[in-house]
Structure formats: C-alpha cells, structure tokens
Amino acid sequence: MRVPAKITNERYRLNYHVSTPSGWMNDPNGFSYYQGYYHIFYQYYPYSSKRGPMHWGHYRSQDLIHWEELPIALTPDSPEDDNGCYSGSAIEKDGRLYLIYTGNHYYDVNDHSRFCQTQNVAYSDDGIHFTKYSGNPVIALPPADNSQHFRDPKVWQHGDSYYIIVGSQNKAGLGRAITYKSTDLLHWKYLGPIAVSQGRDNEGYTWECPDLFSLNGQDVLLCSPQGIAAKGKKYLNLYQTGYFIGKMDYHQNQFAHGAFQELDHGHDFYAAQTMLTPDNRRIVIGWLDMWHADFPEQADGWCGALTLPRELTLKNNQLYMKPIKELKQLRQEKVIAEKLVTSSQQINVSDPQHLELFLTAETENWSGNEINLVLKNKQENLVTLTWNKGNNEVVLTRADKPAADSRRYGRLRPKPNLKIQVFIDTSSIEFFINDGELVFSERYYTSETPQILVNADQSVKVNIIGYTLAK
Ligand code: DQQ
C-alpha cells in the first residue's frame, strides 16, 4: 500500500490558510455549501510533494475559517480519469451534492502532450463519501472544432436549468469558454462558445478554470488564460487569472464583454473559483502558488496552499477583493494602536508571522514620494510593497526571485489616504490595498522570525493596528 507523503519540517506550514495535509496541492475545486457546511476540494497528490495523478482532497467548514479534513473525495482509478481527476466544481440538487470534474487520460503515460479530457460526475448524500456516476463520462468528447484542451467545468443553476462553462482551446489555437445545458446534471447539451480569445498573445491559447457569475448587476467571466504575453508591467506571471465584465445573453449564448483584467497582482495566485454563500456573498478562493514557482516547501514533504477566502464586489468597472468578515474570529491580541509619525519605523509585534495589520497613511497633503512596507530578515528585504504618490503606482518586490521576475505592479485610483491591510501566515503574505482595489498574494520563505518595517522618504502620519491571529 502506498503511504502519504510525510511532513519532515514544519517551518513553512501555514496556520490559518487551507493547505495540503501533506503531499501536493494545486487548484481549489468544488467550492460550495451543502448541509450546513462550506466544502472546498483541491487538486491533490497525496504520495509526494511533487505533482502526480490528481485526486480531489477535501475539507469542510462551518465558518470558512476552521477547516476539517475529510477523506479523499475522488481518486484517479477509472479508465476516463486514470491520469487525473482534474479541476471542477460542485452543486446541490435535490439534497445531493454533485461534483463535476474533468477526467484526464494520457494515450501514452510517458507522453503528456497527447491526452483525452472528458467531463464526469460524482455524487454524495452526506457530503463525505462520493460515488462516481456509473454513466461516466457525461461528456465524452469535446465539440468538433475543439482541440484536446477541454477541462475545468464550473456548474451553476439559471432558471430551471443547469449550465456548465468549460475551459477550452479551439482548433485555431485560441482560448475560449464553452457552455452546456442540462436538467439533471447527467445529460448535457452543447450550446457553444460564449467568449473567445482575441489572439494568443492578447488573451491566451487555453482558458483554464472559467467561472461565470452575476455581481452587482453585471456578469463576470473569471478565467485563467495560458499564453498571454507580458506587456510592460502587466501579465508578468507565467499564466494569468483575471476576468471580463459584461452581460450574458442566455438566448444567444453570448457574453458581450470588456477587456481582460488581472484579478490579483501578486506572483502567487491562480485557478481561482467562486461560490455564493447562503447570505448571497460572492466569495473567491485561489491557489496561493503559481506553476514554475520554486516551491521550497517541497523539501519538507508538502507543497501548496489556498488564498484566504475573499469577498468580491464590482464597482468602477473592476472587481474588488476583500478578506471575508469571518476572519475577524481569528483575532487575538491587539498589538498596536497608536498614531505615529515615521520615516522608518519597525512594527514591534510578538508574532509577526501570524498577523493581520492595518495601516492608514495620511497622504493627502503629504509632500513625500514613497511609502514602503517591508517584511525582512537579517539578510534582506524579503517582500517590499512600495506606494508612489506621484503616479499612485504600487510595486511589489520579492527578494527570492530573479531580478527580471522580482516585481509586480498595480495602479490605484486617487484617494486621500493610503490603506493597506495585510495578512501574514508563516510563509504567505497577502496585501489588500484601499479596500481591495489592488491585491497582491505572495509566498515568502525564511527560517528566522522576520521583522516588519514601514518607511517613507519624508515623515508621514501612519495609523497602525495589528492583531496576532489564532491558528
Ligand atoms: N490544473 C488542473 C487542470 C487545470 C489546471 C490540473 C490549472 O484541471 O486546468 O491539476 O492549474
């Protein structure tokens, strides 16, 4: 019998994020609410800290904060998914929780360039034990004009019908999102593409993990395109996760939309998925890593975590992401609460690695240029967030990346004050700036207790409040 990977060192383990119990984790899957619990599944390879044939790992929670590990929900043991139960989603119908996922099959296991991807169903009546549907695959072939890239179904209900949106690449090598319709979640009618990439470099060659939802009176297509070329300070990750804002026409099966926008500006964010809470909040969660990162924790028998759950809102023609309100439950000691004038100020806290921090800098009549928030160890500034007053640009710098890849950028709308909310959790740091207008998700790795500094090129009034956070 194969044994799960063993954690050999706890130094980078996160305290209050969803992370793999051991072994490998990537995309969040099946984010849903069923029988009084939130459920989150994830791409999981239990037997090594390196990626392998994907299982669906599983946690549930009553508050989106404290998660209980449950048995593996899906194992790649059927002919259509023997090389991986790839990403997908979940929905309740008539008291039953359905998972809809992609089966991945390599024609030759030694050649990963040729594969067959199908859509499959599993279900559960207790939210714990899952049975694969005996009629799988429920969609055995991609449409005739599709390439072999055909994965990541996201399911939702609209009127009396169920829909899935599937990530795909057409035969012309362009990314797109295609939809299917069903009344029973088992028999699916192909509707067609709702949106197609306008050029490989511009909008990508495969759209992974699409998600379509309504928010604040508009519709949003979230997806993770592969292949968008870097343009100046944009699209600097290997692959992007972003969105189009528009209007879904269910009669024409068309999504009229604006330009692609990145959702998170950090190095470590991908394959995000949303769900609607019982009180109607649209919550998003992403993989808090990125393909081709260095993954230092692999040396310790594990790899991968998910971002904090974030509430989405749509205004000013963009998405805002704010940490969910439930996170307040984690607050313990209030560590700082004073107004201070600083040019370089260390923030003294007992546990800087498990911390929520709010900084409000009074910048309206300030004559300086730059404010930095720095996470550092003795040797170097591990992560630096720099706000530039002149152009309202925010620059994120990581010391552990090669120079050409160390920076990420975003631009803020003018506001009287600069507000930064930060969550630190052992080896992750997430910045929410000006109430979620710009977000940077990052990992960092140090074996020392780091320090946090605020500095500016001229004295500035900064109000700082921090909380140590419980496990
Ligand atoms: N990861 C999954 C795929 C998806 C990709 C495989 C995105 O289903 O397209 O682990 O990270």
Side-chain angles (χ1 to χ4, degrees):
M1 217 181 102
R2 283 195 298 177
V3 287
K6 197 167 166 322
I7 304 231
T8 53
N9 192 329
E10 300 272 336
R11 60 191 164 163
Y12 303 136
R13 296 287 287 166
L14 294 90
N15 271 6
Y16 57 88
H17 284 74
V18 176
S19 177
T20 173
S22 74
W24 168 271
M25 162 189 274
N26 58 282
D27 314 352
N29 297 148
F31 194 19
S32 54
Y33 187 82
Y34 175 66
Q35 291 182 351
Y37 287 90
Y38 293 95
H39 289 260
I40 190 87
F41 304 80
Y42 58 94
Q43 291 286 281
Y44 181 34
Y45 186 60
Y47 305 111
S48 161
S49 57
K50 306 242 162 73
R51 190 171 182 268
M54 287 296 143
H55 299 54
W56 275 36
H58 187 192
Y59 288 97
R60 73 176 180 183
S61 167
Q62 287 179 312
D63 59 9
L64 285 165
I65 303 296
H66 301 95
W67 295 92
E68 173 193 356
E69 188 188 343
L70 294 176
I72 290 173
L74 296 175
T75 302
D77 55 8
S78 312
E80 59 278 353
D81 64 24
D82 56 350
N83 301 122
C85 298
Y86 276 12
S87 287
S89 53
I91 195 165
E92 178 178 354
K93 179 182 180 297
D94 301 331
R96 185 167 261 195
L97 185 64
Y98 287 82
L99 308 182
I100 306 196
Y101 64 98
T102 297
N104 189 58
H105 169 75
Y106 293 121
Y107 296 107
D108 169 357
V109 281
N110 298 313
D111 174 8
H112 289 192
S113 68
R114 290 178 54 251
F115 45 79
C116 172
Q117 297 188 327
T118 59
Q119 314 316 323
N120 298 274
V121 166
Y123 54 85
S124 169
D125 294 320
D126 63 4
I128 299 174
H129 305 94
F130 288 84
T131 306
K132 289 182 183 173
Y133 173 52
S134 58
N136 278 339
V138 293
I139 306 177
L141 285 173
D145 64 345
N146 212 82
S147 74
Q148 61 181 354
H149 294 276
F150 178 53
R151 55 183 175 269
D152 312 336
K154 175 79 197 305
V155 63
W156 76 100
Q157 187 175 2
H158 179 78
D160 293 336
S161 300
Y162 296 93
Y163 291 80
I164 51 171
I165 185 163
V166 182
S168 116
Q169 177 190 83
N170 67 16
K171 283 219 163 108
L174 293 172
R176 63 181 185 171
I178 59 182
T179 54
Y180 292 77
K181 188 175 180 177
S182 171
T183 52
D184 62 3
L185 300 169
L186 302 174
H187 301 88
W188 292 94
K189 178 174 178 268
Y190 180 53
L191 300 177
I194 65 156
V196 184
S197 156
Q198 301 300 301
R200 290 168 68 96
D201 285 0
N202 285 334
E203 291 181 350
Y205 56 74
T206 301
W207 287 3
E208 297 189 307
C209 303
D211 191 344
L212 183 69
F213 53 89
S214 302
L215 190 64
N216 305 124
Q218 290 180 277
D219 297 318
V220 178
L221 171 59
L222 173 70
C223 61
S224 296
Q226 297 178 305
I228 298 183
K231 278 186 204 78
K233 295 175 176 177
K234 286 164 114 179
Y235 319 130
L236 297 175
N237 287 347
L238 175 67
Y239 307 138
Q240 275 58 51
T241 290
Y243 58 93
F244 301 94
I245 297 172
K247 195 79 213 146
M248 178 64 192
D249 180 339
Y250 281 88
H251 296 292
Q252 304 291 327
N253 197 53
Q254 280 300 303
F255 179 67
H257 61 81
F260 181 77
Q261 304 185 53
E262 286 174 89
L263 180 58
D264 185 297
H265 294 254
H267 288 83
D268 292 305
F269 185 83
Y270 196 61
Q273 188 174 98
T274 75
M275 61 94 61
L276 198 59
T277 61
D279 63 353
N280 270 317
R281 287 174 293 155
R282 180 62 60 176
I283 309 286
V284 66
I285 196 162
W287 182 32
L288 184 47
D289 264 308
M290 185 55 210
W291 299 113
H292 298 252
D294 286 339
F295 306 126
E297 70 253 33
Q298 281 181 328
D300 302 339
W302 67 284
C303 189
L306 304 183
T307 66
L308 290 177
R310 299 154 180 196
E311 184 176 349
L312 289 174
T313 49
L314 198 165
K315 59 181 181 188
N316 300 324
N317 198 37
Q318 74 156 88
L319 288 180
Y320 285 64
M321 283 198 286
K322 282 170 83 163
I324 53 166
K325 60 180 189 224
E326 286 87 340
L327 283 159
K328 292 185 181 139
Q329 292 171 44
L330 294 176
R331 290 178 183 170
Q332 292 183 306
E333 194 194 345
K334 190 167 181 177
V335 282
I336 311 138
E338 78 256 37
K339 268 235 174 194
L340 51 95
V341 181
T342 180
S343 54
S344 181
Q345 175 79 33
Q346 181 173 334
I347 300 176
N348 292 310
V349 289
S350 57
D351 185 4
Q353 280 188 284
H354 305 105
L355 191 70
E356 178 186 0
L357 204 62
F358 291 93
L359 277 101
T360 309
E362 294 183 12
T363 52
E364 192 166 24
N365 298 312
W366 182 58
S367 52
N369 291 313
E370 231 177 64
I371 297 176
N372 298 293
L373 181 60
V374 185
L375 183 74
K376 69 183 290 285
N377 62 13
K378 287 198 194 77
Q379 291 75 42
E380 58 190 356
N381 293 346
L382 301 160
V383 182
T384 307
L385 189 88
T386 304
W387 173 72
N388 187 299
K389 181 166 167 134
N391 56 9
N392 240 335
E393 187 175 60
V394 180
V395 183
L396 185 294
T397 309
R398 280 262 296 263
D400 60 332
K401 299 277 184 192
D405 191 36
S406 64
R407 296 205 162 79
R408 294 292 181 271
Y409 306 85
R411 188 67 68 91
L412 291 167
R413 287 160 208 282
K415 280 271 167 59
N417 293 334
L418 175 69
K419 290 204 274 179
I420 309 176
Q421 186 180 9
V422 188
F423 283 84
I424 304 177
D425 190 4
T426 320
S427 61
S428 72
I429 180 161
E430 291 160 273
F431 298 91
F432 299 85
I433 305 164
N434 285 1
D435 297 310
E437 186 185 335
L438 271 183
V439 181
F440 293 83
S441 299
E442 302 287 339
R443 300 294 302 276
Y444 74 92
Y445 299 91
T446 178
S447 43
E448 295 165 26
T449 302
Q451 291 179 346
I452 304 163
L453 295 181
V454 189
N455 57 55
D457 58 341
Q458 282 192 36
S459 290
V460 60
K461 273 193 181 164
V462 185
N463 187 36
I464 302 171
I465 300 175
Y467 300 90
T468 53
L469 298 183
K471 211 172 170 133

